[in-house]
Every structure is written in C-alpha cells, then in structure tokens.
C-alpha cells in the first residue's frame, strides 16, 4: 500500500511510466481485447494461475491505473471501476447478496439508490429497512437474522447529514455484516470512511472526482477488512459454480470481494467503464485536492452570505455553526465540507422555482460536483412525481433549492443569486 499522501497519489499512483513507453500522461488503451502468447497462456489467465488482461469488460490498463489510484487515496487494498456510480452500487450489492437477504440503510440517500433499494431489489427478494441515521442505534435495532449489509452515504445527498460512521461501524461489527459507505459528496480528499470503520467505499466518479461534468463513472474500493468466512457469506467460502469451483476466500483472502466484483460482477452484469471515460476521470482526479478546497471555501462563504439574505428562510451546510451536523462535521470533515448547499426560499415553491429559472452563472440541471456552479429546485423537477409526504421524507421541501457551488469567483456567484432574488 502507498505511504504517500493523497495529492501525490492522485497524480502518480498506479501509473508505471516505464511500462507505458515513457508516457507522462496516462495513456488511453482503447482496445476491447488482448493478444494471448499461446493457448496455455490464455488458459492460465482464465484460471487465475497468472494475472493479466483478457477482455475490457473485465479490465483494461487505463481502467486499472484509475483503480489503483482510487485504492491508494481511499486506503483500500483494491478497487474496481464501473460505467457509473449506479452501476457500482447495483453490481456491488448484487455481487454480495441473494434473494432472502436484507439491508439496513440510511433513509437519507441519493434518489436513484433509494429507488434501487426500495423498489427494484425487493423484486429480486432483497429487502431494505430504512432508518433515521442520525441515531446510530437505529441500525442495531433494524438488524434481522438475514441482514447482510449496512448501506449509508457519509454526507447525504441532498439532506447533507453527516453520519457518525464510527458509531454505526460498532453495530455493523456486532452484526458481522459489511459496512458500505457511498462517499461521493464528501470525496476521499475530505474523508476516508475506511479509517472510520467502513469495509467498502463506493463513489460516483461522475461528480467531484471526474469533477468537470464530462464523463460518467463509478467505483468500489475494498478495505479488505471484512471477514467473509464468518458463516454468513457461503458464496465466498464454498466452491463457486460460476468460476470453476473457485473458493474465493481460501484462494484470495482479503482480496476476495475485489476479485468477485470483476470475475462475477463485471462478467455477468457488464457495467464496464470505457477507457476514454476512465482517462477523463483520471484527468479530474489529478486535481481533486485543489478543486475540493475551492469548492468547500466557496460553499462555506456562500452559505454564510445566504444566511444574511432577506429572501432566504433557512440555510443548510454542515460547515455552518447553525447546522445540527456541525459537531460531526468538525470530527469527520475538518478539511472542508464539500460544495453542496441547500437553502429555503422565503416565498416557498414559486419563489424557489423563479430563483432556479433566473440564475445565469448557476446552470439549472440535475448533477452535482462540476467545477461550474449548478442549481436545482427538486420539488418542481427531480422530485415532482412524489407527493408532499414522500418529498418531505426524502428531505425535499417545496421551498428547497440545492446548489452545487463551483469554483468561479465567489463575488460573481453572490451577484448571480442576488439578481435572481430580485426577480421573485
Ligand atoms: C450521482 C450519485 C450517485 C449515482 O451516480 P451516477 O454516476 O449518476 O450513476 C450515487 N450516489 C450519490 C451520492 C450520487 O450523488
């Protein structure tokens, strides 16, 4: 494992310059497949007697560099990249779980993930109990005999709740199930969940890590700390019918989940990232540490400024003294609280809709984590199909505006919102 710091790893980890023709930049290996030396070589690769590239759905040299970089900066033993954050989450869970299994999850989740857990996975016999994560004991209370995972977001999107990961990890350990943390909004530059008891970390690389709104991607980073031989995961200890009778845990030990994600997850579900998107995301990752500082600085200053505007009813940002997550934020996000800010328009639904329509620098769209500032009024857009009670439980009130604060000059961002306020 690398002993270097994040800013260094983000630029160098995983890229052996000499093995890549001296190329200083990471090359794009735009190929689907790899020539075998001979049939025996191929047989060795397929049986894992030798490790190497076979087919880009399973791995690719560009993707591999991104994987090694992400593992280094999150402090994991391995990582696997996917076509999107959603592909990472669905493949990650389907590689781990089977019909009859149960998840305990925070109720404050990205909308797509909430839908996967509440509607789609139950159709396959995998159920979820959603809990209020502000009380970690709720996780213990929701554990059933068939519980096989805890799932949370370290910094919830869009509720911006900071979770007490260490307190939740006590309960995942007691229940002997892996603790999975979606760390997309916090980013590894601000928080490393593996250091606070998580076993598995997930990212939508589409957001801050890619950082420039040009490519979808996702990743799973394996801490290598979970004991798959505890009797609850026979797919890891019994011979795998899907892989020549391979016994994952006996053969691969701590790296069992990483390999299963490739050998079964990518092979059977196919959510591979294109090498060109992996390259684009690597360009973003290389500057993550400097960008996230500016995002966090701008977001905090804008949140404080919003608190003073007469058109604003309330402001939610974990870095604000007024935030009920401020104490947890000081513990888990001391270097910055990332770039998402939510606030309520005093005039309610119509005023919020007007503000989101009238900004010029902030773009009205459904994404976060771009260098450019973004705005959305969820109640009239992403969440408009939900009734008021459903919106409320997703943390979306009709007056709520979500900002993804970019790295433009802060004075221009204030002026843009000020002129939109004037249109109410
Ligand atoms: C966007 C997002 C996802 C989904 O990622 P995609 O790359 O859009 O598939 C998952 N979790 C969180 C917290 C997100 O913000």
């Amino acid at each position: 494992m690398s002993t270097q710091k994040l800013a260094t790893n983000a630029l160098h980890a995983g890229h052996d310059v000499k093995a890549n023709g001296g190329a200083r930049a990471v090359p794009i290996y735009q190929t689907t497949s790899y020539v075998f030396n001979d049939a025996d070589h191929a047989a060795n690769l397929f049986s894992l007697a030798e490790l190497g590239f076979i087919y880009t759905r399973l791995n690719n040299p560009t993707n591999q560099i991104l994987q090694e970089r992400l593992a280094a900066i999150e402090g994991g033993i391995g990582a696997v990249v996917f076509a999107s954050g959603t592909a990472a989450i669905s493949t990650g869970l389907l590689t781990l779980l089977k019909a009859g299994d149960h998840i305990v999850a925070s109720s404050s989740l990205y909308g797509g993930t909430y839908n996967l857990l509440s509607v789609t996975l139950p159709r396959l016999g995998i159920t979820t109990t959603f809990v209020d994560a502000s009380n970690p004991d709720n996780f213990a209370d929701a554990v059933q005999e068939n519980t096989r995972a805890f799932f949370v977001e370290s910094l919830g999107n869009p509720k911006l709740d900071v979770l007490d990961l260490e307190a939740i990890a006590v309960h995942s350990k007691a229940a002997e199930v892996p603790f999975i943390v979606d760390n997309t909004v916090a980013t590894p530059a601000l928080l490393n969940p593996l250091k606070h008891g998580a076993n598995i970390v997930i990212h939508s690389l589409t957001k801050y890590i890619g950082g420039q709104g040009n490519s979808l991607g996702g990743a799973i980073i394996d801490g290598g700390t979970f004991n798959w031989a505890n009797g609850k995961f026979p797919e890891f200890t019994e011979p795998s019918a899907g892989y020549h009778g391979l016994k994952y845990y006996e053969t691969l030990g701590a790296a069992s989940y990483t390999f299963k994600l490739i050998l079964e997850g990518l092979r059977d579900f196919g959510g591979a990232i294109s090498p060109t998107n992996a390259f684009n995301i690597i360009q973003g990752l290389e500057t993550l540490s400097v960008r996230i500082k500016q995002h966090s600085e701008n977001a905090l200053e804008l949140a404080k400024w919003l608190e003073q505007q007469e058109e604003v009813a309330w402001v939610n940002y974990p870095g604000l003294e007024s935030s009920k997550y401020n104490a947890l934020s000081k513990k888990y996000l001391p270097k910055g609280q990332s770039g998402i800010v939510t606030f309520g328009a005093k005039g309610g639904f119509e005023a919020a809709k007007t503000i989101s329509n009238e900004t010029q620098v902030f773009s009205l769209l459904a994404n976060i984590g771009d260098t450019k500032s973004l705005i959305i009024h969820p109640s009239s857009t992403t969440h408009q199909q939900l009734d008021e009670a459903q919106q409320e439980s997703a943390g979306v009130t009709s007056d709520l505006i979500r900002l993804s604060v970019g790295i433009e000059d802060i004075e221009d961002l204030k002026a843009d919102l000020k002129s939109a306020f004037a249109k109410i």
Side-chain angles (χ1 to χ4, degrees):
M1 228 183 276
S2 169
T3 56
Q4 289 175 320
K5 303 272 192 283
L6 177 127
T8 310
N9 280 328
L11 288 155
H12 295 283
H15 181 27
D16 180 346
V17 171
K18 286 215 180 79
N20 284 285
R24 183 56 282 182
V26 171
I28 306 176
Y29 282 86
Q30 194 64 43
T31 184
T32 56
S33 30
Y34 308 84
V35 179
F36 305 126
N37 299 338
D38 53 31
D40 288 343
H41 176 222
N44 281 343
L45 293 178
F46 280 106
S47 69
L48 302 182
E50 221 178 296
L51 291 181
F53 297 102
I54 298 174
Y55 189 58
T56 285
R57 172 151 41 75
L58 304 176
N59 209 349
N60 167 285
T62 307
N63 299 1
Q64 168 109 10
I65 291 168
L66 177 55
Q67 288 172 164
E68 289 181 22
R69 253 174 223 197
L70 290 167
I73 65 177
E74 278 289 19
I77 62 157
V80 180
V81 289
F82 297 86
S84 67
T86 304
I89 294 168
S90 57
T91 309
L93 292 174
L94 290 171
T95 301
L96 204 56
L97 306 174
K98 59 183 180 303
D101 287 348
H102 173 254
I103 302 167
V104 181
S106 161
S107 59
S108 167
L109 293 176
Y110 173 71
T113 308
Y114 185 81
N115 212 63
L116 173 72
L117 299 184
S118 66
V119 179
T120 305
L121 288 184
R123 222 164 57 212
L124 307 179
I126 300 166
T127 54
T128 294
T129 301
F130 294 97
V131 300
D132 174 358
S134 65
N135 179 358
D137 293 343
N138 289 342
F139 285 84
D141 294 344
V143 168
Q144 306 174 2
E145 172 271 319
N146 58 340
T147 301
R148 291 295 177 272
F150 282 11
F151 190 100
V152 305
E153 290 176 12
S154 48
L155 180 53
N157 176 14
K159 200 172 166 191
L160 303 179
D161 49 333
V162 182
L163 299 204
D164 191 347
L165 298 178
E166 289 175 11
I168 298 169
V170 168
H171 298 308
S172 68
K173 260 204 180 123
E176 296 185 284
V177 299
F179 183 21
I180 307 172
V181 177
D182 179 336
N183 196 35
T184 298
V185 178
T187 85
L190 300 175
L191 172 65
N192 294 127
L194 298 176
K195 293 187 182 139
H196 298 285
N199 302 108
I200 294 164
V201 171
I202 297 190
H203 281 286
S204 167
L205 304 173
T206 314
K207 312 296 171 52
Y208 289 103
I209 291 180
Q212 286 155 90
N214 59 35
S215 303
L216 294 181
I220 299 179
I221 296 99
D222 182 2
T225 49
F226 190 76
N227 174 20
W228 300 108
N230 68 5
K232 296 192 170 195
F233 296 90
E235 293 79 11
F236 283 85
T237 49
E238 300 303 311
S240 167
Y243 216 83
H244 323 295
L246 173 73
K247 288 184 180 172
Y248 278 95
Y249 197 69
E250 191 180 291
T251 313
L252 299 157
S256 296
Y257 184 57
T258 304
F259 274 88
K260 208 164 189 286
L261 285 169
I262 298 169
L263 302 179
E264 293 178 7
L266 284 173
R267 185 197 63 185
D268 297 349
F269 298 115
I273 191 171
S274 91
T276 299
N277 274 6
F279 171 83
N280 291 339
I281 288 163
I282 287 167
Q283 306 318 297
L285 177 56
E286 293 190 348
T287 60
L288 174 66
S289 62
V290 287
R291 279 186 293 106
I292 202 68
K293 272 189 202 132
Q294 196 59 47
H295 281 292
S296 300
E297 215 177 286
N298 277 4
L300 180 59
E301 184 167 344
L302 200 64
K304 286 180 177 164
W305 177 82
L306 282 166
E307 277 190 321
Q308 268 138 42
Q309 304 310 302
E310 60 181 85
E311 296 86 353
V312 173
W314 54 266
V315 184
N316 181 21
Y317 183 68
L320 288 175
E321 294 292 331
S322 62
S323 164
K324 64 176 162 182
Y325 305 108
N326 193 244
L328 284 169
S329 160
K330 286 196 167 105
K331 171 168 181 182
Y332 289 102
L333 296 163
K335 289 182 276 185
Q337 300 81 40
S338 196
I340 314 299
V341 176
T342 59
F343 69 93
K346 242 181 215 163
F349 181 92
E350 286 303 329
K353 195 173 161 189
T354 301
I355 295 166
S356 72
N357 280 338
E358 295 294 342
T359 54
Q360 304 296 319
V361 181
F362 283 86
S363 302
L364 174 60
L365 58 76
N367 190 25
I368 59 165
D370 197 321
T371 40
K372 301 166 190 82
S373 286
L374 316 173
I375 188 168
I376 197 147
H377 175 221
S379 180
S380 64
T381 55
T382 52
H383 290 64
Q384 49 115 356
Q385 284 165 355
L386 305 182
D387 63 34
E388 204 159 331
Q390 289 171 315
Q391 289 195 5
E392 217 65 49
S393 86
V396 170
T397 48
S398 61
D399 63 342
L400 179 145
I401 288 179
R402 184 186 71 191
L403 302 176
S404 173
V405 182
I407 61 173
E408 297 94 343
D409 190 286
I410 187 69
E411 295 309 323
D412 292 329
L413 298 182
K414 290 178 192 168
D416 189 40
L417 289 173
K418 190 101 203 143
S419 72
F421 291 163
K423 304 270 173 49
I424 297 169

